[in-house]
Amino acid sequence: MHCKTTVWYIVRLHQSLNLADDKTVNSNHSGIIFTNKEQISLLVLVIIAFVLGVLGYYEYYKSIDQSATLFDLMYRSLTMFFLDFPAEGKLPWTLEMARWLAPLTLTFTIVKTFLALARSKFHLYQLSRKHDHAILFGLDKNSAKLACSMLKNGQNPVVVEDDEHNQYLGILAESKVPYLIANPADKTLLKKLNLAQAKYLFANTASDSTNLEILHQALSIEKTRLLKAVCKIRQISLINVLSSCSLFSTNHPNMETKLINHKKLTARWLLGHQGPDILIKDFASRQNLHIGILGDNLLLNSLVERLAEIGIYCPNSQLKVSIIHVGKVPEENLLEQSSVLNELLDINHIHLPDFNLESLQTNAKITKFDCLYVLLKEFDSVLLSLHYLQRCSVDFPVVVTETDNLQGFTWLSEEFYNQTNFIFANPYDAIHDFDSIFGEKQDALAKAIHNAYLAEEEAKGLSVQDNNALVPWDELPEVLKDANRNQADHSLTKCRFLTGTSSPDKQTLMQTLSKENVELLAEMEHQRWVAEKRLAGWQYTSGEKDSNRRLSPSLIPYNELSEAEKQKDRDTILNLPKLLELRGKAPASSAGCRRLAAG
């Protein structure tokens, strides 16, 4: 039986290959040597040849008056696959067919297997000769979009994925994005893919530890040009810890490192493009805002945290957030840093035991928000909630966000086309394109803020020896870049507070900066800064500031600050016209969203 085992082993040999030719893939077959139909056909042919051989030898020995046991017949049948054929003279038709079918089946299998091996080696050689390219580890819906976006932007992406049946390989094939079927944890891959001359690296596997190991390996490889490396971390609690680790907090020769989290990116985009200050036109004149979030996925946590971090819309007031949970009552510590969040937000929890119209009707509060975010992963839950809100004739903005698992999103947007206050937001295309992950366009205002700060501090005679933040933007640690991004995002909120738009002209903005408004927004800016620091783990101290221990004497209400500290916040407001001018025209706030209008 060892011959049959050998044949079948060769048929399955493709599973041990770690490389594939990108031209051989389609939406159903991701670079395998034999398709499922070919595997089944070969197995059937092997069985047919074997059975015909047994029957043929039985008839043959009978015709020459020789006896043979069943095991003798089986052995003789198997040897035909290796051209061992002792029979002579007139042969039965069954044996005649078997002696040709057996070796031909084996020959086809061996030839195709070794041709695929040679082709894979050549494919690896081609990839090893690439330069100025991007290496993406891990394939999912988001990285597939990123790879296609990079290709459209003139970059040269290569995707590494260990699952040859990954459902998104067809997208790569259709867009002609090359890829390798390989183990992302393979420590030799980065050198094989010529990382030394690559421009970009994106670690996007399902394992945070693997992603970190990929970046650690990349750091140890000598490079001939600057490499921009992005590490995707799924466990949000790791982000703050990793931000202080040397891999991400220290500048490295020829390598920039960046941490991202899909949920945090989505929450930032959602509030940046469909935040309460955009949805509620008269928010600047309101004393309080009441935001509802109907959700059953992890994006809910990230959105609440982002509201606490950046959602300072009304000075001297606490944003009220009602979180509507469906099904099982969540644990008390559902939201990370819940004690800090409850200090920054007025959080109210509403529990729906089941998701149906009756359950919705018993909670009248759901129809009394200033705006509502729907973050549900199941199609039927979204449909029920929208149907209920439509029937109640709510007039506040309702933002329906496409989540990871939500199917039928396009159908829903078409079904409720005439509901003018329903907004369907799809962040995936917006946050998983080349510019959002690797580019600098989205950081233009944050960079302008940092450069202005750099100029002011240097004018005072200070240098990097006095303050480690006094370095060019490209050398700034990611945690400090994020701080500038938060200030930039809220600068647009301040512009909307003053003028009703995020991109006012310089003259209009300057006319609104009265002494009273400057003081009002300076206090708002201090609230935002305190929220950012508190969420990052900083605490108040009556002593000197200690960055290592995350202690600051400025974590106090605005009216308790010294005049010198207050002036820093005032200067931030007074610099708005200049900063917006440096940044250029603000991006449109409707990108990636569809605000539905009647007719």
Side-chain angles (χ1 to χ4, degrees):
M1 292 294 289
H2 66 281
C3 299
K4 179 182 176 182
T5 304
T6 301
V7 174
W8 183 238
Y9 173 78
I10 294 174
V11 173
R12 298 298 297 172
L13 181 62
H14 72 280
Q15 292 185 333
S16 65
L17 292 177
N18 63 348
L19 301 170
D21 180 1
D22 64 287
K23 295 182 180 180
T24 66
V25 304
N26 54 48
S27 59
N28 297 316
H29 305 295
S30 50
I32 59 177
I33 297 176
F34 298 98
T35 66
N36 290 333
K37 289 183 178 179
E38 286 177 330
Q39 294 178 35
I40 295 172
S41 298
L42 286 172
L43 179 59
V44 169
L45 289 175
V46 168
I47 294 173
I48 290 175
F50 175 74
V51 172
L52 288 176
V54 171
L55 296 175
Y57 270 116
Y58 173 77
E59 295 177 10
Y60 172 73
Y61 284 126
K62 184 178 179 181
S63 67
I64 61 174
D65 296 326
Q66 288 188 14
S67 61
T69 66
L70 177 60
F71 289 104
D72 290 334
L73 299 176
M74 293 171 63
Y75 179 79
R76 284 299 179 190
S77 182
L78 288 172
T79 59
M80 289 189 303
F81 286 93
F82 298 93
L83 300 178
D84 183 5
F85 189 74
E88 297 178 350
K90 187 177 181 180
L91 303 176
W93 70 270
T94 50
L95 190 58
E96 193 73 57
M97 288 187 63
R99 72 165 177 160
W100 287 101
L101 183 59
L104 286 175
T105 301
L106 180 61
T107 301
F108 172 79
T109 303
I110 293 174
V111 169
K112 188 169 184 181
T113 298
F114 283 100
L115 283 177
L117 284 168
R119 186 174 55 204
S120 297
K121 293 295 183 183
F122 179 69
H123 182 54
L124 178 60
Y125 172 77
Q126 285 181 310
L127 294 178
S128 69
R129 305 294 293 176
K130 278 184 172 288
H131 57 86
D132 295 340
H133 56 298
I135 306 172
L136 283 63
F137 285 90
L139 181 61
D140 56 17
K141 177 181 179 179
N142 303 323
S143 60
K145 287 183 179 293
L146 175 60
C148 295
S149 172
M150 296 187 79
L151 198 64
K152 291 178 182 178
N153 279 274
Q155 307 302 323
N156 299 303
V158 177
V159 178
V160 179
E161 167 61 28
D162 61 354
D163 180 8
E164 63 185 10
H165 298 289
N166 186 296
Q167 60 180 316
Y168 299 106
L169 285 169
I171 296 176
L172 301 186
E174 185 177 351
S175 302
K176 298 183 179 179
V177 176
Y179 70 88
L180 295 176
I181 301 299
N183 181 5
D186 184 352
K187 295 185 177 181
T188 66
L189 268 181
L190 288 175
K191 289 186 177 180
K192 289 179 180 178
L193 293 173
N194 199 17
L195 180 75
Q197 296 189 49
K199 291 174 65 176
Y200 306 104
L201 173 67
F202 185 43
N204 180 61
T205 73
S207 167
D208 289 346
S209 59
T210 299
N211 294 337
L212 290 168
E213 181 60 25
I214 289 171
L215 257 69
H216 183 262
Q217 292 171 26
L219 190 62
S220 65
I221 295 177
E222 186 176 346
K223 290 167 278 291
T224 59
R225 58 163 307 139
L226 177 66
L227 175 71
K228 292 189 175 182
V230 176
C231 181
K232 191 170 185 178
I233 297 297
R234 284 167 167 76
Q235 190 173 343
I236 294 179
S237 59
L238 285 177
I239 298 291
N240 286 337
V241 175
L242 290 171
S243 295
S244 61
C245 295
S246 60
L247 183 60
F248 300 98
S249 64
T250 305
N251 298 317
H252 306 287
N254 298 326
M255 182 169 163
E256 292 180 5
T257 56
K258 178 180 178 180
L259 283 167
I260 66 169
N261 172 269
H262 167 69
K263 303 298 182 186
K264 291 175 75 70
L265 281 178
T266 302
R268 182 191 177 194
W269 180 90
L270 195 57
L271 291 188
H273 292 82
Q274 295 299 333
D277 54 324
I278 299 172
L279 300 171
I280 305 168
K281 299 305 179 184
D282 62 341
F283 83 97
S285 62
R286 299 199 184 188
Q287 293 299 315
N288 295 286
L289 293 179
H290 189 183
I291 311 302
I293 304 177
L294 175 57
D296 58 6
N297 63 73
L298 292 176
L299 181 55
L300 182 154
N301 293 6
S302 296
L303 184 59
V304 173
E305 289 179 6
R306 185 62 178 171
L307 280 169
E309 183 177 51
I310 206 73
I312 312 299
Y313 304 118
C314 304
N316 302 314
S317 66
Q318 198 174 40
L319 186 66
K320 185 174 182 179
V321 178
S322 287
I323 304 171
I324 308 163
H325 305 281
V326 182
K328 183 181 178 182
V329 177
E331 297 178 5
E332 291 184 1
N333 296 324
L334 171 69
L335 296 170
E336 293 184 50
Q337 309 170 42
S338 58
S339 60
V340 176
L341 289 173
N342 281 295
E343 291 176 16
L344 301 173
L345 300 172
D346 179 7
I347 299 178
N348 176 46
H349 295 273
I350 301 173
H351 303 299
L352 302 181
D354 297 299
F355 206 104
N356 51 53
L357 289 177
E358 182 181 353
S359 181
L360 288 167
Q361 288 169 352
T362 58
N363 287 272
K365 295 178 181 179
I366 296 175
T367 62
K368 298 181 180 180
F369 300 122
D370 292 313
C371 66
L372 173 67
Y373 294 91
V374 179
L375 310 174
L376 297 166
K377 61 185 178 182
E378 298 298 336
F379 171 82
D380 56 345
S381 298
V382 179
L383 181 59
L384 277 170
S385 62
L386 295 184
H387 177 69
Y388 170 70
L389 293 169
Q390 184 184 50
R391 195 171 69 177
C392 293
S393 300
V394 299
D395 58 359
F396 55 76
V398 177
V399 180
V400 185
T401 305
E402 183 178 18
T403 55
D404 291 339
N405 300 317
L406 180 59
Q407 302 295 324
F409 183 80
T410 303
W411 181 88
L412 284 169
S413 66
E414 294 172 353
E415 180 68 16
F416 293 93
Y417 187 86
N418 291 322
Q419 193 72 29
T420 57
N421 60 318
F422 287 4
I423 303 159
F424 291 83
N426 180 358
Y428 291 107
D429 289 335
I431 66 175
H432 289 100
D433 66 356
F434 167 68
D435 186 67
S436 295
I437 301 297
F438 292 105
E440 296 183 351
K441 182 179 178 181
Q442 80 283 6
D443 283 339
L445 183 53
K447 190 173 182 179
I449 289 172
H450 175 67
N451 288 340
Y453 171 74
L454 197 62
E456 290 174 3
E457 295 301 295
E458 288 178 347
K460 298 176 185 176
L462 300 177
S463 67
V464 68
Q465 283 74 29
D466 307 297
N467 184 346
N468 61 5
L470 300 182
V471 294
W473 175 265
D474 290 342
E475 299 178 19
L476 201 64
E478 191 64 23
V479 64
L480 296 182
K481 285 184 179 179
D482 263 344
N484 283 291
R485 291 177 185 127
N486 289 339
Q487 185 177 337
D489 289 347
H490 203 264
S491 294
L492 303 183
T493 297
K494 295 184 181 79
C495 288
R496 285 187 282 268
F497 184 91
L498 292 171
T499 69
T501 175
S502 62
S503 53
D505 60 76
K506 184 177 180 180
Q507 184 177 0
T508 300
L509 184 57
M510 291 183 68
Q511 288 175 349
T512 64
L513 290 176
S514 63
K515 183 177 180 180
E516 292 76 13
N517 280 342
V518 169
E519 194 68 14
L520 192 68
L521 294 185
E523 186 165 358
M524 189 187 295
E525 169 59 20
H526 180 68
Q527 284 181 260
R528 183 206 64 79
W529 179 85
V530 169
E532 176 188 283
K533 291 296 184 182
R534 294 287 286 114
L535 286 166
W538 285 68
Q539 295 183 359
Y540 168 77
T541 178
S542 57
E544 295 293 321
K545 176 181 176 180
D546 188 335
S547 297
N548 292 328
R549 297 172 61 194
R550 299 191 178 188
L551 299 174
S552 172
S554 298
L555 293 176
I556 53 178
Y558 180 79
N559 57 12
E560 297 179 17
L561 291 173
S562 66
E563 278 301 308
E565 288 298 313
K566 287 181 179 179
Q567 192 59 43
K568 291 180 181 179
D569 292 313
R570 295 176 188 136
D571 290 341
T572 297
I573 308 307
L574 293 170
N575 281 335
L576 275 177
K578 180 181 178 181
L579 291 172
L580 290 179
E581 189 177 38
L582 290 173
R583 182 205 58 168
K585 187 176 180 181
S589 64
S590 59
C593 293
R594 183 180 177 189
R595 181 178 287 276
L596 305 179

